[in-house]
Amino acid sequence: MKRAGLWLGPLLFVVSLLAPPLEGVTPVGMRTLGIFLWTAAWWFSEAIPIPATSLFALAMLALCGVLSVADAFSTWANWVIIFLLGAFIIGHAMTLHGLTKRMAYLMAGSSLVGGSPWRLVMMFGIGAALMSPVLSNVITTMVFLSIALGLAKTLNLERGTRFPEVMFLSIAWGATMGGIATPIGAPTNLIAIGAINSLGARVGFLQWMAIAVPMSVVGLVVMFLVIRYVLRPEPPQQWLSPSYLRDELKKLGPWNRGEQISAAVFLVAMCLWLLPDVLPLVLAGGRQHPWSQWVSGHLDWSVTAIIMATSLFVLPVDWKNREFAMTWDEAVKGVDWGNLALIAGALALGNALASRDVGLGQFFEQSLIS
């Protein structure tokens, strides 16, 4: 598949250049279409790493004269990229100081599970769904998978049996379902919001959640029905006592300074992200009130994300030894640069395809209407 995609991408590009122009599409538009098809072929086949393909697409847009060099690479300064940069650092701080692990053990070891294998599968799925709206789906999945793998080894669950498989699937699916609940839950959400904003409309934090949270809940219910009645795995004969995960939680000890700081920074960031939508509800003038207008104009999600992420570099974990909640070396490890490259490439290609100047936007519009 990779080998086929490697050759298919440039072939589609050449065909787009040699083919007669589509109705109402300029030669620049045909080059844009060729770049898109080349990029899509490499994305789907993963002929080369997806982030590398995204960077290649930016360079091709400039090389082929579709966009200027400045416009082609300007998506790296898009508010979505800046927002995610800050959000990745905040999420990494929670993982670095052990807060996410504590949250995972707390949920999986709760009395709601009560030693039931089925309840534990549900708790893993629900736990992942509760964390993924505010953390990267990848981070959330890895945190719960590390616990699930430990449980599988402790119970000596056989490889290839369905129960450990559905336990892992519930984590992956739960993270995916929860990832749609908030705008920050997944980069795809932000790409959609960014596209809507470029059309002059606005989607607020609470507006998104009002639609997405019920969809997330429905998705979780369907997921558990599929696991229970379609996959129907046999539960293991032996199982851990309900106290196992609580004992693991006790081993973590009391909350350390880093956990306290990362939790506080995250909670403040969430409040500030919600503020532009909540403030008009409590002020007499609504969105026309000067305070509401100032917050909407100055306290963008990206601004909040960067300010709160920066605060981690100045909040001390150990002031005597000048240790802070975050260092730059650690922050770099927490940033998913590949995701940022993918989004930058997707935004640039999307803008180019939708542009009326190159003709494709008008072509797609007329095709859909007809």
Side-chain angles (χ1 to χ4, degrees), residues 79 191-203 350-351 354-356 365:
W79 71 269
I191 291 175
I193 292 174
I196 293 171
N197 287 354
S198 68
L199 298 176
R202 180 182 179 276
V203 177
N351 291 337
S355 172
R356 282 177 165 267
E365 179 181 317

Side-chain angles (χ1 to χ4, degrees), residues 41-56:
W42 278 11
W43 271 343
F44 288 126
S45 66
E46 296 187 46
I48 66 173
I50 290 176
T53 300
S54 305
L55 293 174
F56 172 75

Side-chain angles (χ1 to χ4, degrees), residues 12 37 42 72-73 75 78 80 111 241 270 327 335 337 358:
L12 290 172
L37 293 175
W42 278 11
F73 293 101
T75 50
N78 189 282
V80 175
S111 57
S241 65
M270 281 295 296
T327 64
V335 176
W337 299 104
V358 300

Side-chain angles (χ1 to χ4, degrees), residues 181 305 310 345:
T310 305

Side-chain angles (χ1 to χ4, degrees), residues 34-246:
I35 295 170
F36 169 72
L37 293 175
W38 188 343
T39 304
W42 278 11
W43 271 343
F44 288 126
S45 66
E46 296 187 46
I48 66 173
I50 290 176
T53 300
S54 305
L55 293 174
F56 172 75
L58 295 177
M60 286 295 289
L61 287 172
L63 181 66
C64 294
V66 176
L67 299 173
S68 67
V69 174
D71 289 339
F73 293 101
S74 64
T75 50
W76 273 98
N78 189 282
W79 71 269
V80 175
I81 302 292
I82 303 301
F83 168 80
L84 273 179
L85 185 63
F88 278 139
I89 294 175
I90 295 172
H92 184 59
M94 297 170 68
T95 303
L96 177 66
H97 295 289
L99 180 59
T100 52
K101 188 174 184 180
R102 184 182 295 275
M103 291 168 60
Y105 277 129
L106 188 63
M107 287 184 287
S110 69
S111 57
L112 294 175
V113 174
S116 167
W118 288 114
R119 289 183 186 177
L120 185 63
V121 170
M122 292 180 63
M123 186 58 70
F124 272 126
I126 293 172
L130 290 176
M131 287 177 62
S132 61
V134 295
L135 292 176
S136 162
N137 288 356
V138 176
I139 294 175
T140 301
T141 302
M142 290 309 299
V143 168
F144 280 95
L145 275 181
S146 64
I147 299 173
L149 285 169
L151 284 173
K153 291 178 181 178
T154 303
L155 291 171
N156 294 319
L157 298 178
E158 295 181 14
R159 290 179 177 271
T161 57
R162 280 197 169 185
F163 188 81
E165 289 177 356
V166 299
M167 190 161 61
F168 301 146
L169 281 176
S170 70
I171 295 170
W173 289 347
T176 302
M177 302 300 178
I180 69 171
T182 65
I184 65 174
T188 47
N189 303 349
L190 294 171
I191 291 175
I193 292 174
I196 293 171
N197 287 354
S198 68
L199 298 176
R202 180 182 179 276
V203 177
F205 212 97
L206 289 180
Q207 285 177 302
W208 179 280
M209 292 181 65
I211 300 298
V213 169
M215 292 183 66
S216 181
V217 172
V218 171
L220 284 172
V221 172
V222 173
M223 178 190 79
F224 290 130
L225 290 175
V226 169
I227 288 176
R228 186 69 177 86
Y229 296 107
V230 178
L231 300 182
R232 294 183 295 178
E234 289 292 331
Q237 297 298 321
Q238 59 170 341
W239 194 249
L240 294 175
S241 65
S243 61
Y244 172 79
L245 289 174
R246 290 195 293 269

Side-chain angles (χ1 to χ4, degrees), residues 11-22:
L11 178 62
L12 290 172
F13 176 73
V14 172
V15 170
S16 299
L17 296 183
L18 299 178
L22 300 172

